[in-house]
Structures are given as structure tokens and as C-alpha cells.
Amino acid sequence: MASLKDIRARIETTKNTQQITKAMKLVSAAKLRKAQHQIVNMRPYAHSLLKVIANIAVTERVPHPLLVSRPEPKKILLMVLTSDRGLCGGFNGNIIKFTEQYLKQNSDKYEKTDIIFIGRKAADYFAKRSVSVVDTITKLDKDISYDLASGVAEKAMQNYLDGHYDEIRMVYNEFKSAISQKVVCETLLPVDLTKQTLDLGDAGPIPGFSTDMIYEPDPERVIDQLLVKHFSVQVFRCMAESVAAEHGARMTAMENATNNARDVLNKLTLTYNKLRQEKITTELIEIVSGAESLK
Amino acid sequence: MFKLFFATPDKKVLADVELEEITLPAFRGELHILPGHAPLMTSLGAGVLKYKLKTGDSKRLVISWGYCQVSAEGVSVLAETAVAADEIDPKAVQDHLKESEERLMTETLTDEQLVKVMGDIDRLRAEAAFLSEKAQ
């Protein structure tokens, strides 16, 4: 049986832990709001960009290497997006599990699967395992920026255009809501216009695409530039989603931790009081029986 | 009168703003658009974007790479960055510009770096020019 002093010490430490988890939850909540804001802000840009690309591609019939899917893709570039820090529940674990399974299932289907790790957690995990890593990007915990995303995107796209890869895919946590995330594997290149144009939503006044549009410089070059931007924006969007999901996951995890700490505290306090009363009772009995024997 | 839709990847979205006219740094030089312009699609370089609101107020922004689409409904502009005069720090612009120009002259850059540095310089020069124009 633990002594009163031991229990008191345990109560103290649990209280401290609870305070930390509570603070972390609040911080995550604030960061989540910011990250959510970022996603919302980017949407109109991304939507109108895609809409214009689709319109040019359809009306002008411009063929572009980024739009044509290659039959029987053999070489895959996988971008795996995790966080740099832990303490966010199953956020990173789910990604790692998914990636591992994906690699196992598709190892004989494709002749080459290269991986770019964005975020430290997955990179650390796979460092000891035999996967072909081309690049690792960390230090995502500060603000993700469009610059960072476009840097990654441009490099990946160059490799794609040079024929090093047939498909570029991104594995990341999609931000569903503050409490739920979903692991998704999305094909970013080649750009699939047929699927994406359907769910474009409202993105400002660009309907009524004219067929006698004047292009400066020419449709080919315009669409080329737009596609480059589109890919960067997609990479940025995935990063923003992942960051928002990370903060959401951490918020939930810390909320649970705070609740658990409260339960533990309740139990400990109960034991502590029981023990204290027991001690008092014993002391009383000793005094009474001592007085009794003197009579 | 026509409508302007304006977006950048991180912020500053103008939607359904009614304009009298707009001037853009287009691919072939400055492009001035008035109501009733023919449908046009052009890429934009770094430079100053000016627009005049229906109320008569005019606004100016420095933008870097983007594109502009003119249709019967209005003008939509997407730009990589957009800053107003009061958001530019003149000293930071000058320092950054000097640094980039020095890099260009002294270092051997790969193609990618070169594109980036050139882009930076274009944007910074546009910002600097914008500021000096404002000061006069």
C-alpha cells in the first residue's frame, strides 16, 4: 500500500500533466482556426484556376503532357505527408500504416515506387526500412507557405516531365472536420480534368467561355503556365489540409488526455482520503485504548 | 462597368467589385481594360495593377505572376502575390533587391535558382518602382 506522501506526489504530477495537455489543446485550437482559414482562403483561387484550365483544354483542344495519362503506369512517385511532431493521436500512425500497406500491395505491380517524405514522422519510421527515398522535407511545424509547396511541386513536376515517373500521388490526412481526418491517396499528376471539373462549385464570374478568346501569348503557353501553378496549388492545398488535420487530431488527443487525467485525479483523491481517514481512525482508537488502560 | 474577381493563393479575395476600368501588367506590356472589352486571356508579369471603382476611387496593388481573363461578365485576375503600398517595407525591398542582384552577379546558379531569383528581382523592382512613383 502506498503511503499518503506517495499519493500526494502522484496527485501533484497528474495535475501538472493535466495542465500541460489543457494548454496544448488550447494552442492547437487556435492553430486549427488559422489553418482552416488558410484552406478557405485558397479555395477560390484553386477553383477558378482549374476551371480555366478545363475550359482552355476543352475549347482550344490543346494537348499537354500533364493532361495525358500514360497507359499502364510503371513508375510512381509517392509523396507522404505527415507532421513533424507527435502527440496527435493516430494522425501519423494512420499515414504510416497506409503507406506500408500500399507499398506491400503494389510492390509487384509497379517497377519503381519512389517516396518523398514531407514531415519528420514518416521519414523517421521508414528510415530503418528499405524504401527508396528521394527527398525528405521537414520543419513543417512553422507556417507552411506557398513558396515551400511550389518548390516541392516544381521539382516533382520536372521529374514527371522528364519521364522519371508516370504518376505522382500524394498520401495525406484530409481535413474532414475538427474531430475527424481521413487518410487519402490522391493522384496529382497527370491532371484528371474529367473528374475534377464536376465538383468545382462557385468560383466567381468565369462562365460563358468564349470560343473566340484572344490569347496572349498563345493557348499552349498559357495552359502550360496555368498547369504548373495548378500543380503547385494542389500540393499547397494538401499541405494546408494536412496541417489543419494535424491540429484537429492533436486537439482531440489532448482533450482525451485531459479527461483521462481528470479521471485519474478523482481516483487518486478518493484513495488519498480513504487512507487519511483510516489513519485518523487508527490514531483515535490508539488514544482511546491508551486512556482505557490507565483507568 | 464590369465586375472584378481577384484572388491570390493565400488571401485577399475581391469578388463582385464593380469597376470602371483596370490596368494590368500584361504579357505584352501594360493593358488597359474598359467595359465591353473583347474576350481575352493573358498571362501577367510583375508590375502594378490599377483599378478604378464605380465610386471613382482608384486603388493600386503590386502583383507578381498571374493571369487575367476578360469575358462578357467581367474580369477575373489570379495573381501569385498582391500587396498594397502600405504593406511594403521600403527598406526590406531595397535590401532584398540588392541581395538578389548580387547573387545573380556573383554566384553560379542552376536553372531553377535562376528562374526564382529573376522572378524575385522582377517583383522587387516592381515594388520599388511603385514606391518611388507613390512618393513623387
Side-chain angles (χ1 to χ4, degrees):
Chain A
M1 196 74 200
S3 76
L4 275 181
K5 205 179 153 203
D6 292 340
I7 297 182
R8 227 171 13 229
R10 274 194 69 192
I11 290 179
E12 264 325 294
T13 47
T14 318
K15 255 187 201 155
N16 285 341
T17 313
Q18 191 187 28
Q19 244 149 26
I20 293 170
T21 54
K22 211 186 253 169
M24 281 181 80
K25 188 197 142 194
L26 291 177
V27 170
S28 292
K31 282 188 178 163
L32 171 66
R33 232 183 336 256
K34 210 174 132 200
Q36 250 175 315
H37 206 63
Q38 206 164 25
I39 296 179
V40 174
N41 278 343
M42 196 185 41
R43 256 178 214 156
Y45 183 86
H47 277 162
S48 42
L49 198 56
L50 189 57
K51 219 171 193 170
V52 171
I53 293 173
N55 279 331
I56 302 180
V58 173
T59 48
E60 298 294 323
R61 305 198 180 286
V62 186
H64 194 278
L66 292 179
L67 291 171
V68 185
S69 60
R70 302 177 187 170
E72 288 184 38
K74 282 275 165 231
K75 292 165 281 184
I76 307 289
L77 177 67
L78 208 60
M79 293 176 159
V80 179
L81 219 88
T82 49
S83 68
D84 274 359
R85 294 172 187 208
L87 289 182
C88 42
F91 180 83
N92 292 316
N94 289 342
I95 291 278
I96 289 169
K97 222 186 293 165
F98 181 90
T99 313
E100 217 166 27
Q101 217 164 15
Y102 183 89
L103 290 176
K104 210 185 281 168
Q105 279 170 359
N106 295 319
S107 55
D108 41 346
K109 204 162 117 200
Y110 305 127
E111 64 187 47
K112 183 169 94 171
T113 312
D114 281 351
I115 302 184
I116 293 182
F117 287 115
I118 306 173
R120 219 191 63 214
K121 284 285 164 181
D124 284 356
Y125 179 85
F126 285 102
K128 298 174 211 100
R129 289 160 179 81
S130 57
V131 289
S132 64
V133 184
V134 257
D135 205 354
T136 306
I137 297 144
T138 54
K139 296 202 181 66
L140 280 179
D141 52 339
K142 290 266 157 10
D143 282 338
I144 49 155
S145 64
Y146 181 71
D147 273 353
L148 176 77
S150 62
V152 178
E154 268 157 36
K155 227 183 274 170
M157 167 158 344
Q158 204 48 52
N159 280 331
Y160 178 85
L161 288 174
D162 292 347
H164 293 309
Y165 303 109
D166 296 328
E167 255 181 44
I168 296 182
R169 289 190 182 159
M170 177 82 95
V171 180
Y172 67 103
N173 275 294
E174 192 184 25
F175 178 78
K176 286 262 174 205
S177 72
I179 47 163
S180 83
Q181 304 84 35
K182 199 177 128 213
V183 177
V184 285
C185 180
E186 206 176 283
T187 308
L188 294 183
L189 280 184
V191 178
D192 184 5
L193 286 175
T194 48
K195 196 181 76 202
Q196 283 170 321
T197 37
L198 294 173
D199 56 328
L200 273 175
D202 278 339
I206 4 178
F209 205 84
S210 183
T211 40
D212 56 354
M213 183 72 79
I214 307 164
Y215 288 94
E216 281 180 21
D218 41 60
E220 286 79 14
R221 263 193 281 174
V222 170
I223 202 166
D224 184 62
Q225 291 188 345
L226 290 177
L227 280 168
V228 173
K229 292 299 150 186
H230 170 70
F231 182 57
S232 306
V233 166
Q234 288 303 315
V235 173
F236 183 56
R237 180 185 61 87
C238 293
M239 283 186 179
E241 294 248 4
S242 168
V243 167
E246 178 196 340
H247 292 310
R250 182 166 299 123
M251 209 174 86
T252 326
M254 288 302 115
E255 165 104 55
N256 289 340
T258 313
N259 289 345
N260 289 343
R262 200 190 50 220
D263 291 348
V264 170
L265 266 182
N266 283 346
K267 258 186 220 156
L268 280 175
T269 323
L270 196 69
T271 342
Y272 178 76
N273 287 340
K274 262 189 199 157
L275 218 70
R276 194 171 58 97
Q277 276 174 333
E278 239 166 58
K279 211 175 149 196
I280 293 169
T281 319
T282 341
E283 272 170 18
L284 272 178
I285 291 171
E286 270 167 16
I287 294 168
V288 170
S289 52
E292 223 27 62
S293 65
L294 283 179
K295 271 182 191 165
Chain B
M1 204 134 36
F2 54 94
K3 281 184 176 168
L4 172 69
F5 171 83
F6 183 33
T8 69
D10 37 15
K11 52 177 179 172
K12 279 178 206 145
V13 179
L14 289 174
D16 287 341
V17 185
E18 301 214 313
L19 295 187
E20 291 281 350
E21 56 184 59
I22 184 166
T23 311
L24 305 149
F27 175 70
R28 286 185 209 212
E30 201 159 79
L31 178 70
H32 191 80
I33 295 167
L34 291 168
H37 198 285
L40 168 86
M41 164 81 81
T42 179
S43 55
L44 305 176
V48 182
L49 176 145
K50 288 177 257 187
Y51 60 88
K52 198 162 145 200
L53 294 165
K54 195 174 71 171
T55 52
D57 293 345
S58 26
K59 293 251 167 73
R60 292 144 155 269
L61 294 165
V62 180
I63 62 165
S64 60
W65 190 95
Y67 89 97
C68 160
Q69 187 194 3
V70 185
S71 61
E73 287 77 18
V75 176
S76 56
V77 177
L78 295 194
E80 195 107 305
T81 61
V83 280
D86 49 3
E87 288 171 284
I88 306 174
D89 175 7
K91 199 173 169 297
V93 170
Q94 288 301 341
D95 289 353
H96 202 152
L97 184 59
K98 217 170 144 196
E99 191 186 308
S100 303
E101 281 175 336
E102 242 160 53
R103 258 191 93 186
L104 194 65
M105 280 184 278
T106 51
E107 288 175 45
T108 8
L109 300 166
T110 62
D111 284 357
E112 290 158 27
Q113 284 172 319
L114 189 67
V115 169
K116 187 161 176 352
V117 172
M118 291 299 279
D120 275 355
I121 289 179
D122 276 351
R123 179 173 58 83
L124 291 163
R125 278 191 182 146
E127 284 176 9
F130 179 46
L131 284 174
S132 61
E133 193 183 321
K134 197 97 183 167
Q136 279 164 17

